[in-house]
Amino acid sequence: MSEDSPFLRMAIGFGGLSLFSVGGALSILSDVHKLVVDQYHWMSDADFVRIFAIAQIAPGPNMLSFSMMGWRIAGLAGLLVVTLSAVAPPTLLAFFVGRGFERFSHAPWFPAVKLGLGPLVVGLYTASGVVAAQAADDGVVAVLITVGVAAYVTFSRRNPMWCLLAGAICGGLAASVGWH
Amino acid sequence: MVSDLNKSSSTHGSTPDQTSPVPVSDSPVPDAASPSAPPSSNSSRSASSSRAPTAPVAPPARALDLFLGFLEIGLYGFGGVGASARYIIIDKRRWMNPEDYMALMAVSQVLPGGNIINASVILGDRFLGVRGALAGLAGILLAPLCIIALLGILYDHFGTLPWVQAVALGGGAAAAGLIIGTGLRLGRSVAPTLTNIGVGLVSFVALGLLKVPLPIIVGIMIPASIGLAIWGHRR
């Protein structure tokens, strides 16, 4: 495989980032955007947010949103390469850490680790959301959808999937009457 | 806690014209995959021996059971797999009692990677070794991946239609709001101490506004934040 093979780049890019996905896949969304849009120009800003949104509506772990980006980049092979490289590194780590599970979760320092990661994950998630919003929000209607959903998800316990569907319908309706 | 199971019927229906994205669902769902569970989950571990579960726990006997259980979790996990995992593992299949589940999720959340993906591997390995880990992982990934591939095919064919683009971009704007809301929601469960607010703000500004690469942020902020938490704990 040559140096500039897109598969090697996908494997290194997603595989490396996956080990920094503190709190879950959403933490690395901003850096994934940098990777697939800014660095390698595999897709446009608009493509990036559309694919992420469609993948979010599908059931399953968030990490698999990146699999759909892999599909967009290189079809089935891209999907498999991205999935493997985004899932395998943290999974292997979890496997070996899990073997020390009992000692680990009862260790006196464990609550401090959890407490320390909390505010970091809050910062990373909101930042990733803002980066996604910058890519998605091309007009007043989109900004209103983002703000509305953010407020709703912050304060409601209902299933967030409905927000995505409502946002999609609002986007479609607004476009059909020419609003922007 | 049942949450996700009774709502897919109305998914394709007629959502009324809405100026603000108010969902039409009637199905309450607990937090999807919250990386920082409330502090109470730390103390509940110690109670695992004293509080008996309401029904007997039945660990998965075969790798196939693990595979099918996580297949269900993946398929039910609309809008996040956190809620469906809890329902399947504790309530439906009774693999674990709530206390053990909390401890499992705590470890899965502290590690990098998807919380439920990590949990599938740790839980599978715990009951059935390497075979179990692979069965759990295959179960959680298989069905969603097939759906993703299907959506990818559809997007390749219809993604250039103007109305598809408009609808997907509206969904993207909502997805961005969903991520921000998920972060803020987690923030509500974090104690509003000066150090916590500082850590949250610094990581937000560094990643979102200054575009500092994530490995640098994580490399600096994890030791700093955990150190501050330990320091605050001792005082």
Side-chain angles (χ1 to χ4, degrees):
Chain A
M1 217 185 272
S2 72
E3 279 278 317
D4 43 311
S5 153
F7 294 112
L8 192 62
R9 287 175 167 174
M10 277 188 262
I12 293 171
F14 282 98
L17 285 178
S18 71
L19 283 171
F20 295 94
S21 56
V22 190
L26 296 181
S27 294
I28 62 172
L29 185 67
S30 154
D31 276 57
V32 167
H33 176 260
K34 258 189 243 175
L35 183 79
V36 303
V37 177
D38 300 336
Q39 193 177 349
Y40 292 127
H41 310 291
W42 282 325
M43 61 189 72
S44 68
D45 248 0
D47 244 2
F48 177 84
V49 291
R50 284 189 211 119
I51 289 172
F52 181 74
I54 293 169
Q56 282 289 298
I57 290 173
N62 280 330
M63 204 56 101
L64 299 188
S65 303
F66 305 138
S67 306
M68 189 158 164
M69 294 177 191
W71 177 279
R72 183 68 181 162
I73 298 165
L76 183 61
L79 176 137
L80 293 175
V81 167
V82 168
T83 305
L84 192 67
S85 46
V87 167
T91 302
L92 282 171
L93 185 67
F95 178 81
F96 289 110
V97 171
R99 296 241 153 154
F101 178 68
E102 290 300 325
R103 266 176 305 148
F104 189 71
S105 68
H106 289 82
W109 47 263
F110 189 75
V113 172
K114 268 190 75 180
L115 286 177
L117 289 178
L120 176 63
V121 173
V122 172
L124 297 182
Y125 270 32
T126 40
S128 271
V130 167
V131 171
Q134 285 166 348
D137 294 358
D138 60 342
V140 179
V141 174
V143 172
L144 286 177
I145 292 173
T146 301
V147 172
V149 171
Y152 185 83
V153 173
T154 307
F155 295 106
S156 166
R157 295 188 73 83
R158 292 186 176 209
N159 192 306
M161 189 192 62
W162 299 106
C163 294
L164 298 183
L165 292 172
I169 289 165
C170 289
L173 287 174
S176 70
V177 297
W179 288 355
H180 200 56
Chain B
M1 272 298 141
V2 175
S3 71
D4 282 18
L5 305 175
N6 53 2
K7 65 185 163 53
S8 48
S9 53
S10 56
T11 301
H12 310 288
S14 48
T15 306
D17 186 350
Q18 292 164 334
T19 45
S20 71
V22 178
V24 290
S25 143
D26 54 356
S27 57
V29 158
D31 275 25
S34 62
S36 65
S40 60
S41 65
N42 295 327
S43 55
S44 66
R45 259 186 287 107
S46 55
S48 55
S49 52
S50 58
R51 203 193 317 164
T54 47
V57 172
R62 299 171 303 166
L64 182 65
D65 297 334
L66 275 167
F67 174 80
L68 292 176
F70 278 100
L71 192 72
E72 277 184 293
I73 292 172
L75 278 174
Y76 289 154
F78 284 99
V81 278
S84 62
R86 197 188 159 86
Y87 168 71
I88 299 288
I89 293 174
I90 299 179
D91 299 323
K92 187 170 176 207
R93 295 199 174 238
R94 301 188 193 289
W95 287 341
M96 291 180 142
N97 61 38
E99 287 76 20
D100 287 347
Y101 180 79
M102 289 285 236
L104 169 72
M105 289 315 295
V107 174
S108 304
Q109 287 163 350
V110 161
L111 292 168
N115 300 331
I116 304 299
I117 299 179
N118 287 344
S120 74
V121 169
I122 296 174
L123 188 150
D125 178 52
R126 189 178 180 189
F127 289 127
L128 294 168
V130 177
R131 249 165 20 102
L134 289 174
L137 186 63
I140 193 72
L141 294 181
L142 186 67
L145 269 183
C146 291
I147 294 170
I148 291 274
L150 188 70
L151 290 171
I153 294 171
L154 290 174
Y155 188 74
D156 285 348
H157 279 85
F158 304 108
T160 51
L161 297 177
W163 73 267
V164 173
Q165 296 198 340
V167 166
L169 208 57
L178 171 65
I179 306 170
I180 296 172
T182 306
L184 293 177
R185 188 179 179 82
L186 288 174
R188 294 176 65 204
S189 67
V190 172
T193 60
L194 210 58
T195 52
N196 280 348
I197 293 170
V199 167
L201 276 180
V202 167
S203 45
F204 171 80
V205 170
L207 184 67
L209 306 182
L210 304 178
K211 315 282 181 195
V212 179
L214 184 68
I216 295 176
I217 301 174
V218 167
I220 294 173
M221 292 308 285
I222 284 188
S225 185
I226 293 175
L228 285 169
I230 292 174
W231 182 64
H233 209 60
R234 286 219 182 115
R235 264 190 322 165

